[in-house]
């Protein structure tokens, strides 16, 4: 006990010392006086005294394993996902809520909700590249930009409609995915991350500087929303329609990702992530598998980009900065690599929470960083860890399997 | 020899100035179990890596002759292309896919014998479903054969050590090889497990007609299992022959026990 108190005291003193210039000393440059705010020192001391206590408690819990692998949260999420009696009603409630959303919520709430939904689609798309195939992609937002600009420009020049642009954006996303994939085939880990980061920046810089093509930093305005059977809709109706489009897209994404996960292709991605050499020794073409991951992942970004352009009616390169890539990646990591439910949860937390809780908005980056560090320390597998499908065999003739 | 399945001639591998494998000749005949032995650092694993395409060999020829087919030269092919041609391997330091289940590990082995792509995965048509069912049942049978039935849905990393070694063999067998390369399959196994492994390897040869080339340090296993033995030291082949002849070969004894040892 005494030792514990001493440890916390040392931590508190250390933090008082560290934050002293920031919290205690305040120089008034106009009157050339120094204001000493000693009460801040006390606050810092007491706060960190207790925080360090909490910290050690959590670390100890982690050592015991109660927080991570065998912890209550894991057990709980496993139960939710594995027992039809629990997850079926949840899916039903979710579906009804999703369908009724626009009737209940006002336009003001719809916009952030659609943003969050777009980010779920982006998260699930990146999840294919990062979570399943294990290729760290820091330039994912580039494909999102490709989709958005594809719609905006094709509409501007040729009057292409939203519905035609949607598959086109997806296709272009895939093409750019392969374009990025080819030069980085030989890279992995940190090197891959750096090159993809560069790729993301290249796309953004092109958009910013190639005025003739992209209209430069001023962007493209007056992008129409989707039409319904040829009718042009009012702004608020258009928002509702986009909401349903993105919901449909989300359902489609979940469906596809879920199927791919447990397919021949999905398994080869996992194998690639787990051990590249063994994967090749099993007869898997590394190049093809990687390209497929990049292409399939980028497809969703392309589609989401089209929806984003239609939703906001205006795009410029500011919307596709590195920070967006980081946000999408954080959604994947925080949610749990390879886990669909986790990504959905994380997208809501990271995208919606700052909109509604003002203080979170202001200290967003600070809290964000802290949350990431804590997450990696205490729950590296994310909110919800990916559970591999298990197969059941009936009888000895091993025919038919389900899971 | 018409019934050879693997013929390696003059294989050489240089790493900068270091010659790890020096003009080694080796062959495996249909239905044979051949052992490659030698002291630590003799170049056995490098030899394996060369013929399976992980390293491109500096010199020499690697030919496989799939039973009933034309000989094929393997130099310069990628590991996955070599596996498709019917030569599968395991690794000395186990290289399973740790976060996939045992069954999925074996199913990955089926990859090169199946064909479903993205579209198939999404729409899951009758052809894809049939292929998937076949993959599952073949993989399951392989696990059963390797005595891993109770571990089917366990993550590979949670399997006991001996089971992981057997799972690697099952995964390699899933690629339908005619020649199986085992890199120290008995490393870290207890005598009981080694005996079981002995039976298992013989069974693979007898029942499936798969020829086997293995690297192994456990002399008891090597002597009881192999039809022929090749011995390498400092990258060179120093002896080859039937187990009894190798046992009594003074050159081999010298390589293992040192110069000063009087035979």
């Amino acid at each position: 006990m005494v030792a514990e108190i001493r440890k916390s005291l040392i931590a508190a003193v250390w933090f008082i010392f560290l934050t002293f210039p920031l919290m205690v000393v305040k120089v008034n440059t106009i009157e050339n006086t120094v204001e000493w705010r000693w009460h801040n020192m006390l606050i810092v001391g007491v706060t960190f005294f207790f925080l360090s206590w909490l910290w050690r408690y959590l670390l100890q819990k982690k050592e015991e394993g109660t927080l991570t692998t065998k912890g209550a949260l894991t057990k709980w999420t496993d139960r939710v996902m594995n027992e039809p009696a629990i997850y079926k009603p949840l899916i039903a409630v979710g579906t009804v809520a999703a369908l009724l959303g626009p009737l209940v919520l006002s336009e003001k709430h719809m916009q952030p909700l659609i943003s969050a939904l777009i980010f779920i689609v982006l998260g699930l798309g990146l999840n294919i590249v990062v979570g399943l195939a294990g290729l760290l992609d820091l330039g994912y937002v580039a494909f999102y930009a490709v989709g958005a600009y594809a719609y905006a420009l094709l509409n501007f020049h040729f009057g292409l409609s939203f519905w035609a642009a949607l598959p086109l954006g997806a296709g272009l996303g895939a093409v750019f995915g392969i374009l990025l994939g080819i030069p980085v085939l030989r890279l992995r880990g940190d090197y891959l991350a750096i090159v993809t980061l560069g790729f993301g920046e290249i796309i953004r810089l092109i958009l910013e500087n190639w005025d003739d093509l992209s209209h430069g930093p001023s962007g493209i305005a007056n992008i129409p929303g989707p039409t319904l059977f040829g009718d042009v809709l009012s702004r608020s109706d258009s928002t509702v329609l986009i909401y349903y489009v993105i919901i449909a897209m989300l359902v489609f994404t979940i469906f596809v990702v879920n199927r791919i996960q447990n397919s021949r292709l999905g398994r080869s991605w996992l194998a690639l992530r787990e051990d590249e050499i063994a994967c090749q020794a099993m007869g898997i073409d590394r190049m093809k598998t990687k390209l497929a991951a990049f292409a399939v992942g980028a497809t969703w970004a392309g589609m989401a980009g089209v929806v984003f352009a239609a939703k906001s009616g205006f795009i410029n390169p500011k919307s596709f900065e590195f920070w967006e890539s980081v946000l999408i990646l954080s959604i994947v990591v925080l949610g749990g690599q390879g886990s669909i439910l986790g990504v959905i949860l994380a997208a809501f937390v990271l995208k919606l929470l700052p909109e509604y809780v003002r203080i979170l908005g202001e200290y967003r980056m600070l809290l964000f960083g802290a949350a990431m560090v804590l997450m990696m320390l205490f729950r590296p597998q994310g909110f919800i860890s990916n559970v591999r499908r298990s197969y059941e065999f009936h009888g000895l003739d091993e025919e038919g399997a389900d899971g | 020899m018409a019934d050879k399945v693997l013929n390696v001639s003059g294989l050489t591998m240089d790493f900068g100035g270091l010659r790890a494998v020096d003009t080694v000749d080796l062959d495996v005949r249909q239905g044979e179990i051949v052992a490659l032995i030698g002291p630590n650092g003799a170049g056995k694993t490098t030899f394996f890596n060369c013929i399976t395409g992980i390293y491109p060999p500096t010199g020499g020829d690697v030919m496989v002759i799939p039973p009933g087919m034309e000989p094929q030269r393997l130099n310069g092919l990628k590991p996955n292309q070599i596996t498709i041609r019917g030569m599968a391997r395991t690794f000395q330091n186990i290289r399973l896919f740790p976060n996939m289940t045992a069954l999925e590990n074996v199913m990955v082995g089926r990859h090169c014998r199946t064909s479903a792509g993205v579209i198939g995965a999404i729409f899951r048509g009758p052809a894809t479903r049939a292929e998937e069912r076949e993959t599952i049942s073949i993989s399951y049978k392989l696990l059963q054969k390797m005595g891993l039935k109770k571990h089917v849905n366990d993550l590979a990393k949670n399997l006991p050590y001996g089971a992981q070694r057997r799972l690697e063999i099952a995964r390699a067998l899933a690629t339908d090889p005619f020649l199986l390369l085992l890199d120290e399959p008995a490393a870290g196994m207890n005598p009981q497990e080694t005996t079981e492994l002995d039976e298992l390897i013989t069974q693979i040869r007898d029942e499936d007609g798969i020829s086997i080339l293995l690297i192994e340090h456990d002399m008891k296993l090597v002597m009881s299992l192999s039809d022929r033995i090749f011995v390498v030291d400092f990258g060179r082949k120093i002896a080859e022959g039937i187990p009894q002849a190798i046992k009594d070969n003074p050159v081999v004894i010298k390589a293992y026990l040192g110069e000063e040892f009087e035979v």
Side-chain angles (χ1 to χ4, degrees):
Chain A
M1 190 67 182
V2 179
E4 293 287 299
I5 292 174
R6 229 187 67 200
K7 274 187 195 162
S8 285
L9 265 181
I10 292 172
V13 170
W14 175 242
F15 273 97
I16 289 172
F17 174 72
L18 267 185
T19 55
F20 187 82
L22 209 71
M23 301 294 287
V24 179
V25 184
K26 190 182 181 189
V27 182
N28 189 332
T29 45
I30 300 165
E31 291 168 22
N32 277 332
T33 53
V34 176
E35 191 188 324
W36 301 91
R37 296 172 297 175
W38 297 109
H39 60 281
N40 276 352
M41 203 164 114
L42 189 71
I43 294 170
V44 168
V46 172
T47 312
F48 279 98
F49 184 82
F50 286 108
L51 276 183
S52 80
W53 206 289
L54 181 69
W55 175 256
R56 280 202 312 276
Y57 171 76
L58 285 173
L59 275 182
Q60 197 193 339
K61 278 268 159 180
K62 190 197 169 196
E63 275 283 275
E64 289 165 6
T66 45
L67 207 66
T68 49
T69 44
K70 297 175 281 292
L73 185 57
T74 309
K75 267 193 203 132
W76 187 80
T77 54
D78 278 3
R79 260 192 76 191
V80 168
M81 280 190 291
N82 288 326
E83 283 179 30
I86 301 179
Y87 73 70
K88 279 197 175 139
L90 275 182
I91 290 175
V93 169
T95 314
V96 171
L99 288 178
L100 295 181
L103 304 178
V104 185
L105 298 170
S106 65
E107 166 100 23
K108 190 181 130 229
H109 298 291
M110 287 299 286
Q111 290 293 342
L113 186 59
I114 293 173
S115 290
L117 289 168
I118 289 178
F119 270 77
I120 295 179
V121 173
L122 287 171
L124 289 172
L126 186 62
N127 197 11
I128 292 173
V129 186
V130 177
L132 295 183
L135 305 163
L136 186 52
D137 184 349
L138 292 182
Y140 192 65
V141 80
F143 308 121
Y144 184 41
V146 165
Y149 269 87
Y151 175 43
L153 288 172
L154 288 172
N155 181 271
F156 183 81
H157 293 294
F158 307 110
L160 200 76
S161 77
F162 172 81
W163 301 108
L166 205 55
L168 213 65
L172 271 174
V175 168
F176 273 78
I178 292 172
L179 279 184
L180 165 70
I182 290 168
V184 301
L185 277 177
R186 283 158 201 289
L187 305 174
R188 60 176 124 167
D190 320 357
Y191 308 102
L192 179 71
I194 290 169
V195 176
T196 51
L197 190 153
F199 177 79
E201 283 300 281
I202 289 172
I203 296 283
R204 187 181 64 82
L205 286 171
I206 288 176
L207 293 176
E208 207 146 88
N209 293 301
W210 193 355
D211 286 6
D212 300 337
L213 177 79
S214 68
H215 301 214
S218 51
I220 303 163
N222 294 327
I223 305 165
T227 53
L228 191 61
F229 305 117
D231 292 339
V232 178
L233 301 172
S234 71
R235 197 74 215 165
S236 64
D237 284 348
S238 172
T239 307
V240 173
L241 182 56
I242 287 176
Y243 172 83
Y244 284 119
V245 168
I246 189 81
I247 287 282
M249 196 192 282
L250 184 61
V251 171
F252 179 60
T253 314
I254 293 173
F255 173 78
V256 168
V257 172
N258 198 25
R259 282 211 157 171
I260 289 188
Q261 249 189 50
N262 291 307
S263 72
R264 174 176 177 269
L265 185 67
R267 282 191 300 270
S268 68
W269 283 341
L270 286 177
L272 190 75
R273 175 189 79 187
E274 297 287 304
D275 191 322
E276 239 178 78
I277 290 180
C279 168
Q280 266 192 301
M282 289 304 109
I284 294 171
D285 190 327
R286 210 175 52 177
M287 308 287 166
K288 261 197 213 161
T289 312
K290 275 192 188 176
L291 281 184
F294 274 120
V296 175
T299 307
W300 304 114
M303 280 211 284
V306 174
V307 176
F308 172 74
K311 173 214 145 202
S312 38
F314 164 77
I315 52 167
N316 69 354
K318 268 264 174 287
S319 313
F320 308 106
E321 285 185 334
F322 175 58
W323 160 245
E324 304 294 321
S325 283
V326 173
L327 189 63
I328 304 166
L329 187 65
S330 309
I331 287 172
V332 175
V333 174
L334 215 56
Q337 293 189 32
S339 149
I340 295 173
L341 205 59
V343 167
I344 296 174
L345 201 64
F348 277 129
V349 169
L350 291 185
K351 208 54 195 169
L352 278 189
L353 222 52
E355 295 281 348
Y356 290 106
V357 189
R358 213 53 261 162
I359 184 149
L360 284 182
E362 274 171 47
Y363 294 102
R364 191 175 175 172
M365 293 302 244
L366 197 67
L367 290 170
F368 200 63
M372 276 314 219
V373 171
L374 289 177
M375 202 70 186
M376 286 306 102
L377 266 170
F378 295 114
R379 210 180 152 76
Q381 73 269 47
F383 287 152
I384 297 168
S385 48
N386 185 18
V387 183
R388 290 310 301 163
R389 175 182 183 169
S390 53
Y391 295 83
E392 278 170 33
F393 296 90
H394 309 290
L396 281 172
D397 53 341
E398 317 89 39
E399 267 309 309
D402 55 48
Chain B
M1 278 276 232
D3 62 344
K4 273 185 192 172
V5 288
L6 173 73
N7 191 24
V8 180
S9 54
L11 190 80
T12 302
M13 181 71 213
D14 293 327
F15 292 107
L18 176 79
R19 181 152 288 190
V21 177
D22 191 359
T23 52
V24 173
D25 299 329
L26 182 148
D27 62 273
V28 180
R29 294 178 204 134
Q30 170 62 34
E32 209 180 20
I33 298 179
V34 174
L36 179 64
I37 63 170
N40 288 328
K44 305 180 295 291
T45 296
T46 308
F47 180 84
F48 259 37
N49 287 344
C50 281
I51 59 176
T52 53
I54 291 181
Y55 303 141
T58 321
D61 267 322
V62 183
M63 307 283 283
V64 285
I65 308 102
M69 282 160 77
E70 289 297 301
Q72 293 174 358
R73 195 159 175 272
L74 297 185
N75 297 47
L77 291 183
K78 291 198 205 107
N80 51 310
Q81 294 168 317
I82 289 174
T83 306
I84 291 169
R85 280 165 179 74
M87 189 157 80
R89 71 169 292 177
T90 65
F91 294 88
Q92 183 182 357
N93 41 350
I94 302 175
R95 301 194 86 125
L96 289 166
F97 308 121
N99 292 310
M100 297 172 81
T101 65
L103 187 74
E104 283 175 324
N105 266 274
V106 183
M107 284 164 85
V108 169
R110 292 298 301 164
H111 186 96
C112 61
R113 303 295 171 215
T114 46
S115 60
V118 186
I119 305 298
I122 296 170
F123 294 106
R124 213 172 269 180
T128 312
R129 279 208 305 274
E131 187 182 274
E132 190 78 359
R133 263 203 304 277
E134 198 200 1
T135 304
I136 292 171
S137 81
I138 290 178
S139 308
Y140 184 71
K141 277 176 190 149
L142 276 170
L143 284 176
Q144 211 171 24
K145 191 168 155 185
M146 290 289 139
L148 295 168
K149 198 173 143 189
K150 64 173 180 194
H151 294 300
V152 170
N153 287 319
D154 292 346
L155 291 186
K157 65 176 174 190
N158 296 338
L159 258 52
Y161 188 80
Q164 292 196 4
R165 286 249 172 241
R166 290 202 302 273
L167 179 56
E168 259 211 317
I169 299 177
R171 190 180 63 175
L173 285 176
T175 64
D176 278 346
F178 61 84
L179 175 60
L180 184 61
L181 272 57
L182 304 173
D183 196 345
E184 297 203 25
M189 283 188 172
N190 62 33
Q192 164 76 28
E193 287 173 322
T194 310
T195 315
E196 282 167 19
L197 183 75
D198 187 332
E199 286 162 16
L200 211 56
I201 294 176
T202 317
Q203 193 193 346
I204 292 169
R205 192 258 313 260
D206 294 343
E207 288 178 10
D208 308 323
I210 295 171
S211 318
I212 288 160
L213 172 62
L214 76 155
I215 294 177
E216 187 48 67
H217 278 300
D218 186 323
M219 281 308 141
K220 204 168 138 254
L221 180 68
V222 170
M223 293 299 163
S224 82
L225 203 56
S226 357
D227 298 313
R228 279 188 306 146
I229 297 174
F230 288 78
V231 190
V232 289
D233 192 18
F234 295 113
R236 281 170 196 279
K237 184 171 83 182
I238 55 171
E240 69 169 281
I242 59 166
Q244 198 51 49
I246 294 294
K247 220 184 225 168
D248 300 333
N249 188 328
V251 183
V252 176
I253 294 169
K254 207 165 87 183
Y256 268 89
L257 297 176
E259 293 284 346
E260 294 86 26
F261 193 82
E262 290 297 322
V263 184

